Amino acid sequence: MTKPKILCLHGFGENAELFKIRSRNFRAVVGDTADLVFLDGPVDIGSLHMTTGGLVDASIAREFTNLGWWWMRRGRSFEARGIGKTMDLISKVLTEQGPFDGILGFSQGASLAIVISALLANPSDGP
């Protein structure tokens, strides 16, 4: 029997490596009963000085690349910069690494998980 595969999507200002560290308790519970696929968002959001915040030993702590799934800009209209790059990446990952049995997302990654789920439920609406 194959293990379930779960797509893991980090929050805004994080990346796959940092989300893997932050989800260590979840990973401990899941153990080797599922394959967790941690994905980096394609949008570099610049320097936010996001660190491990005590999640790893201080001797190996370092800064991480700050990524997102989109960059929000508000003004006269709402604009989600980078969402096209994100949807292209998601489409590629679903095609090349799927199928996935579930999606785990944190913060902005959770919002993206909802979008992906809705598009998969209605494929004619998606990219």
Side-chain angles (χ1 to χ4, degrees):
M1 185 167 130
T2 60
K3 295 190 280 187
K5 189 186 287 189
I6 301 172
L7 181 62
C8 302
L9 307 172
H10 62 80
F12 182 79
E14 296 185 346
N15 61 38
E17 185 180 0
L18 183 55
F19 187 40
K20 190 172 186 178
I21 292 168
R22 290 183 188 265
S23 62
R24 69 192 181 286
N25 291 336
F26 174 75
R27 289 185 299 108
V29 171
V30 171
D32 64 354
T33 62
D35 288 327
L36 303 178
V37 177
F38 289 84
L39 187 62
D40 275 328
V43 179
D44 185 342
I45 59 167
S47 175
L48 290 181
H49 193 66
M50 300 291 278
T51 64
T52 58
L55 294 175
V56 296
D57 186 290
S59 65
I60 62 169
R62 63 188 185 285
E63 290 193 31
F64 290 84
T65 304
N66 300 303
L67 301 172
W69 302 104
W70 61 84
W71 180 265
M72 295 190 29
R73 181 175 179 190
R74 293 191 175 118
R76 289 186 175 185
S77 63
F78 173 79
E79 181 182 353
R81 292 183 176 183
I83 193 69
K85 287 170 76 171
T86 292
M87 296 315 293
D88 289 346
L89 174 64
I90 294 298
S91 180
K92 181 180 179 183
V93 168
L94 292 177
T95 301
E96 294 177 1
Q97 298 182 42
F100 289 92
D101 299 292
I103 306 173
L104 170 68
F106 173 75
S107 191
Q108 192 181 58
S111 296
L112 179 58
I114 294 167
V115 171
I116 294 167
S117 297
L119 291 174
L120 290 175
N122 298 296
S124 62
D125 294 341

